[in-house]
Amino acid sequence: MGPYSGVALPRSGALNVNAQGCDSETFLLFSAFVQDNTIPPPHANGEWIYNGSSPNFVGFNEDQTGFEARIPYGFTSETPFIDQEAFEFTYRVPGILPCDPFQETTVRIAIVRQVDAGSANFINICEDEILAGDYDADINLRDDIYLNGEDNEGIWLPGLDPTGQIADENDPIINLKELYTTLTDGGRNLRFGCKTYDFHYKVDQRARVCENDTSIVSFKIYEQLRPFRQPNPPPRICTNQGPGNLNLFSLLEFSEETNADGATIDFTYASDSATNWRLLSGPAPSGFDLELEQLLTELGNPNPEYTHLGTINTQNAPPGTYVFEYAVSPAINCKDENDVCDPYSGGASTSCLNPCAVETATVTIEILPFDYAGENTSDISICESVGQVDLRSLLNTNGFNTISNSGVWTNIFGDVVPNRYSIQERDIAQTLTFTYTTTNASGCEASATLVFTVDKEPNAGEDGTITLCSDDLTVTLFEVLGGDPDTTGVWTGPFGYTSPDHLGFFDASDTMLPVLGEGVYTYTVPANGDCSDPDQAIVTISVVEPLTIGTDRAETFCKIDGRVNLFSLLDRDTPRGGTFEDTDNTGALLADGVLEFETLTNEIYNFRYVLSNAAPCDQSSLIVSVQIVDLPIPNVPDQEFCILDAVRLDDIEVDVLNYNWYDSLESSTAVVDNPILLDNQIYYITNVDVDGCESERLQVTMNILNTGERSSTNELCAFDFQDGVTPNGDNQNDTFDLLIEDEFNLPEAFPDFELKIFNRYGTLVYDARKDTEEFRGESNVSVRLGDDLPSGTYFYIFTPNFENNLPIQGSFYLSR
């Protein structure tokens, strides 16, 4: 097919152009071509060429199918014309021999300038500026401070001016003072808020490809704020007076004015989104919180807890005079309902912008002192042994006031009691309640309630003694104590014994309970509340043991077990009061009967357990024999194999008879599935005996060579396919072999391999994967499936599809 550059639209107009566009957007050049059912569009592989050098030509777009131009303004009132310019382009489509080398089509495009109504300003005016006479004179809307950069041929739109200030299309003169007088209705509408006046300037388009343009000059007149103040003397409040909440807003008086009709207009500013409070001065130290929710915004975000009421908490405030300030943003008269406008810091919304001034007033209050009586105090206790107690010393404080000593104590019946109170002993714990009250010269009263418990001293009873025989070690220790002990204690005794309750029960027939041994068992009753000293009593146990200590014991341990407590090897009936002797002088026996294996080897070690009987019994003993099994670590070096061997874990030569492989140093499960070895794998091997003892683990790293790599002994990991296939049934080259014993095992080494065989014409005759039958001179592709292939030379491509092993290709001869 030859090159085709399309057919351009017919030219027309004074500039003899094929199409027309506006300079406000990119012109798409293909839109200048004829495209219908009879004439196809041009080929898309062509190139657009600009045939000109106009400074108004900006350039092609990103995909080179369109261009942009900027036409300068050239209108005058004497010679109006369409600002436009023609640009010529050639579309060249290359061809391929023997067709034409290229074909070209040239188009001319007229670009028309977009009209501009200029940049209009939005003028914000506060009411006080107009009242000051700043806008008494007429203003010209065409002045640059109102409208800048506009085309001269535009008109004003009196139909969109409801004020009547624009008399006709050529009238740019208005008077803002007249607008304000109309807005306030001659003094009747004092709470007008704000009002926007828009004046429209329009420039009509010069050609249909462009659009009209309009600018709006706007003026917004804002109502000014009226003053407000605190009319009455500052209120006087006791600092401890509760609940302490005071609304500062209630102390303000706001302006009232009479309008032209004689009606009273209220100027109270009670907004929660355009006001704010702050503390100007006061005696409160740094960090003291009056709980004034004075932040209208926190880090720029509205504070949902703020209200204009300015609620403060005067309770516990330092005495003195406090001065607060209430501020009102002028945006209160003209803002969006949901916008927050902080009079101190402004606001994020444009509706907070306002030319009028912020109005503020101060509010003063006086906080009176009081004689501090302390804080309500409970959940404390004292011991009855103290005798007397200073009641004021038991009261909690706020951390910075000192409790006055001028107050009076009363009990729950209203009776006066002394500060130095005497504790009366009772059979049980008692709870006492007292109230401490102070009154100062200013009439400020304070009180605090004290509730405390008088605790009884703990009683563990009297010491006891009992002698038991070793064949009847059943006893309840609590029953051996004298006196009347408390039941809140626990027992401790020999061999780390601790009782679960106060009974201290032993029963030799119950194997779930500990074995009772001789010694001192201590009964401890814990401290009780403020009675901080526990009480103790002891029971001394004497046990007469028989001469029989038990039979000798023998156990075998793997060295890697680390240690054993020899006490754990004794029979349950063997008394635990004895000690072990290191008869073989191993130096590995600790005083608590623990045998450490670290220094022991493959031997049997004997230890004598000795128990001293009560007279007349002599010393009893038995032998505990411990055999240590210490297996040598296998000697297996890091392994290196060619990937073609498809070596598995069990193929590694090991120098011990029994062993286990693990896939990590911490694994408890041996590897049993004999996996194929992969490069950089790490396994761990241990020596194992018939009883399951293991040696320490040895790390063995696998280095699997890819084809083409050389081993550490410089042997090349490579293979060669056979050069001939003779499928005649003589078991010699009957197939194209992928597995040759002692040479390579490709299906195992490359389980994802691909084998493709082609005839001498490049036609695929055989396509194989791991599970495909080996090539026997027959095609297995769809065109010649099952056909015997003729003798001749065939070409193969073997693709391993594994890591860095590259495809192998070659040829062989098929002979029949």
Side-chain angles (χ1 to χ4, degrees):
M1 180 181 292
Y4 176 63
S5 60
V7 177
L9 293 170
R11 296 185 179 182
S12 63
L15 296 180
N16 191 29
V17 295
N18 301 91
Q20 189 180 52
C22 189
D23 71 350
S24 62
E25 59 186 8
T26 300
F27 182 84
L28 300 179
L29 290 165
F30 283 116
S31 63
F33 284 92
V34 176
Q35 298 184 36
D36 55 28
N37 294 333
T38 60
I39 300 177
H43 291 171
N45 63 329
E47 175 188 12
W48 283 101
I49 302 170
Y50 172 52
N51 304 325
S53 60
S54 172
N56 300 327
F57 177 75
V58 176
F60 289 102
N61 63 357
E62 185 175 352
D63 60 3
Q64 301 293 308
T65 60
F67 76 99
E68 294 184 3
R70 294 293 178 265
I71 309 303
Y73 182 50
F75 177 86
T76 63
S77 58
E78 292 79 13
T79 58
F81 62 90
I82 298 176
D83 296 326
Q84 63 178 336
E85 183 178 342
F87 299 87
E88 183 177 289
F89 300 88
T90 297
Y91 185 60
R92 176 180 292 176
V93 179
I96 301 175
L97 295 177
C99 298
D100 293 338
F102 63 87
Q103 188 180 76
E104 295 180 341
T105 299
T106 298
V107 298
R108 284 173 57 83
I109 310 300
I111 298 300
V112 180
R113 176 184 175 274
Q114 169 64 45
V115 296
D116 186 0
S119 299
N121 290 320
F122 196 107
I123 310 300
N124 293 310
I125 302 171
C126 184
E127 178 182 12
D128 59 0
E129 298 178 68
I130 297 177
L131 295 176
D134 294 351
Y135 290 94
D136 286 353
D138 292 344
I139 62 174
N140 189 331
L141 296 177
R142 289 290 298 272
D143 289 346
D144 286 349
I145 62 172
Y146 307 116
L147 184 64
N148 185 33
E150 72 274 16
D151 291 352
N152 293 328
E153 65 272 26
I155 60 173
W156 295 94
L157 303 181
L160 298 180
D161 173 27
T163 68
Q165 291 284 317
I166 302 298
D168 53 47
E169 295 179 348
N170 298 315
D171 178 19
I173 306 301
I174 65 169
N175 188 285
L176 293 176
K177 180 62 178 292
E178 295 176 0
L179 294 179
Y180 171 75
T181 300
T182 302
L183 174 62
T184 58
D185 192 18
R188 295 177 178 83
N189 181 28
L190 301 181
R191 298 301 304 265
F192 62 85
C194 62
K195 177 69 174 179
T196 301
Y197 299 92
D198 296 329
F199 301 95
H200 298 72
Y201 183 72
K202 178 184 178 184
V203 181
D204 290 333
Q205 51 88 7
R206 303 178 182 180
R208 294 181 179 179
V209 293
C210 293
E211 299 179 349
N212 300 334
D213 191 28
T214 301
S215 291
I216 302 174
V217 179
S218 299
F219 297 89
K220 192 170 186 178
I221 300 176
Y222 294 83
E223 175 187 334
Q224 66 177 342
L225 294 175
R226 270 57 168 186
F228 46 89
R229 65 189 182 93
Q230 179 184 10
N232 299 318
R236 304 176 80 241
I237 306 166
C238 291
T239 182
N240 65 322
Q241 179 180 329
N245 292 331
L246 173 66
N247 293 335
L248 297 174
F249 186 83
S250 64
L251 304 179
L252 288 171
E253 179 182 75
F254 291 87
S255 296
E256 292 182 351
E257 295 182 7
T258 303
N259 68 4
D261 292 331
T264 300
I265 306 301
D266 181 26
F267 289 90
T268 298
Y269 303 118
S271 169
D272 291 339
S273 59
T275 63
N276 211 343
W277 284 95
R278 66 180 175 184
L279 175 65
L280 295 182
S281 64
S286 176
F288 187 84
D289 187 7
L290 288 173
E291 299 183 12
L292 170 64
E293 295 164 356
Q294 62 195 67
L295 291 178
L296 177 63
T297 58
E298 295 178 331
L299 300 178
N301 298 316
N303 177 7
E305 298 181 356
Y306 172 81
T307 72
H308 68 279
L309 297 177
T311 303
I312 63 172
N313 188 347
T314 61
Q315 195 165 18
N316 296 325
T321 300
Y322 292 83
V323 179
F324 299 90
E325 183 180 70
Y326 183 59
V328 180
S329 169
I332 194 173
N333 292 321
C334 179
K335 74 178 187 66
D336 294 340
E337 180 179 357
N338 296 325
D339 286 344
V340 175
C341 301
D342 189 344
Y344 293 122
S345 61
S349 172
T350 56
S351 71
C352 296
L353 301 177
N354 197 296
C356 297
V358 172
E359 190 70 30
T360 63
T362 59
V363 173
T364 302
I365 64 172
E366 184 179 355
I367 304 297
L368 302 177
F370 71 102
D371 289 343
Y372 183 58
E375 304 295 319
N376 291 335
T377 305
S378 60
D379 296 330
I380 62 173
S381 62
I382 62 175
C383 188
E384 64 181 2
S385 62
V386 300
Q388 287 188 335
V389 63
D390 186 315
L391 296 179
R392 277 196 298 270
S393 68
L394 300 181
L395 287 170
N396 293 332
T397 69
N398 55 19
F400 50 87
N401 286 120
T402 300
I403 298 176
S404 172
N405 59 9
S406 63
V408 176
W409 285 102
T410 55
N411 60 19
I412 57 175
F413 304 107
D415 300 327
V416 176
V417 298
N419 180 65
R420 191 71 180 174
Y421 183 76
S422 296
I423 302 296
Q424 299 179 5
E425 292 188 4
R426 296 285 189 272
D427 293 335
I428 59 174
Q430 52 183 317
T431 299
L432 302 176
T433 301
F434 301 101
T435 301
Y436 187 60
T437 305
T438 65
T439 305
N440 69 358
S442 300
C444 292
E445 183 179 288
S447 65
T449 299
L450 172 65
V451 180
F452 63 94
T453 300
V454 180
D455 296 316
K456 296 290 293 180
E457 290 188 276
N459 179 16
E462 300 173 0
D463 297 346
T465 302
I466 188 170
T467 300
L468 301 173
C469 184
S470 63
D471 59 0
D472 186 17
L473 300 179
T474 299
V475 66
T476 301
L477 298 178
F478 188 77
E479 295 176 354
V480 182
L481 292 170
D484 186 19
D486 296 340
T487 60
T488 57
V490 293
W491 290 92
T492 57
F495 316 114
Y497 170 73
T498 301
S499 68
D501 51 34
H502 71 285
L503 294 176
F505 179 66
F506 290 90
D507 185 352
S509 64
D510 188 346
T511 59
M512 300 302 294
L513 295 176
V515 177
L516 177 66
E518 284 190 318
V520 175
Y521 291 78
T522 303
Y523 184 63
T524 303
V525 177
N528 182 22
D530 203 52
C531 297
S532 58
D533 295 327
D535 192 30
Q536 291 184 336
I538 63 173
V539 170
T540 302
I541 300 294
S542 298
V543 178
V544 177
E545 297 286 351
L547 295 177
T548 302
I549 192 172
T551 59
D552 293 343
R553 301 287 294 165
E555 295 288 347
T556 301
F557 296 91
C558 302
K559 183 173 181 178
I560 62 174
D561 292 339
R563 62 172 59 189
V564 66
N565 190 322
L566 297 182
F567 280 100
S568 68
L569 306 183
L570 298 175
D571 290 332
R572 180 174 178 81
D573 294 332
T574 300
R576 295 316 196 260
T579 60
F580 282 94
E581 295 178 353
D582 189 2
T583 56
D584 289 345
N585 297 317
T586 64
L589 180 63
L590 304 181
D592 59 356
V594 174
L595 178 63
E596 298 283 0
F597 296 164
E598 182 177 358
T599 59
L600 305 182
T601 58
N602 280 306
E603 293 184 25
I604 296 176
Y605 298 89
N606 296 315
F607 302 91
R608 183 171 179 261
Y609 178 62
V610 179
L611 180 67
S612 297
N613 290 320
C617 296
D618 294 328
Q619 191 180 66
S620 298
S621 68
L622 58 80
I623 298 298
V624 175
S625 299
V626 176
Q627 182 176 2
I628 302 298
V629 179
D630 185 11
L631 297 177
I633 301 174
N635 183 16
V636 179
D638 291 342
Q639 302 293 304
E640 185 178 75
F641 300 101
C642 177
I643 193 172
L644 302 174
D645 298 331
V647 176
R648 293 183 176 272
L649 187 61
D650 287 350
D651 295 333
I652 297 176
E653 294 184 2
V654 179
D655 65 339
V656 295
L657 182 62
N658 295 313
Y659 56 90
N660 283 334
W661 286 103
Y662 294 91
D663 57 12
S664 72
L665 190 60
E666 298 82 10
S667 174
S668 60
T669 303
V671 178
V672 297
D673 58 355
N674 192 24
I676 287 182
L677 301 181
L678 302 177
D679 190 31
N680 291 325
Q681 273 187 311
I682 295 176
Y683 287 93
Y684 298 84
I685 188 170
T686 63
N687 191 358
V688 185
D689 69 5
V690 294
D691 295 320
C693 276
E694 289 189 344
S695 69
E696 293 183 13
R697 297 186 182 185
L698 174 68
Q699 175 179 311
V700 181
T701 302
M702 310 302 167
N703 181 21
I704 306 302
L705 302 174
N706 291 322
T707 56
E709 294 181 343
R710 291 188 179 275
S711 69
S712 58
T713 59
N714 205 33
E715 292 182 6
L716 182 64
C717 178
F719 70 96
D720 293 315
F721 286 112
Q722 65 207 69
D723 58 4
V725 176
T726 58
N728 54 14
D730 64 354
N731 293 326
Q732 296 292 325
N733 294 328
D734 285 341
T735 65
F736 190 79
D737 292 324
L738 299 178
L739 189 157
I740 299 178
E741 194 168 343
D742 296 330
E743 289 191 28
F744 57 77
N745 185 344
L746 300 184
E748 288 287 336
F750 308 117
D752 297 321
F753 78 88
E754 297 180 16
L755 174 63
K756 297 182 183 294
I757 299 177
F758 304 83
N759 62 18
R760 61 194 179 113
Y761 302 106
T763 302
L764 178 67
V765 298
Y766 179 81
D767 188 1
R769 304 291 188 275
K770 180 178 181 179
D771 298 325
T772 307
E773 185 178 355
E774 288 187 332
F775 178 76
R776 299 177 178 273
E778 297 177 355
S779 174
N780 72 346
V781 297
S782 60
V783 177
R784 304 186 61 180
L785 183 64
D787 288 352
D788 287 337
L789 298 172
S791 298
T793 300
Y794 289 80
F795 301 86
Y796 62 84
I797 299 177
F798 179 83
T799 305
N801 289 325
F802 186 80
E803 295 186 358
N804 298 324
N805 295 276
L806 301 176
I808 300 171
Q809 58 186 7
S811 65
F812 65 88
Y813 188 83
L814 175 64
S815 175
R816 291 195 175 276

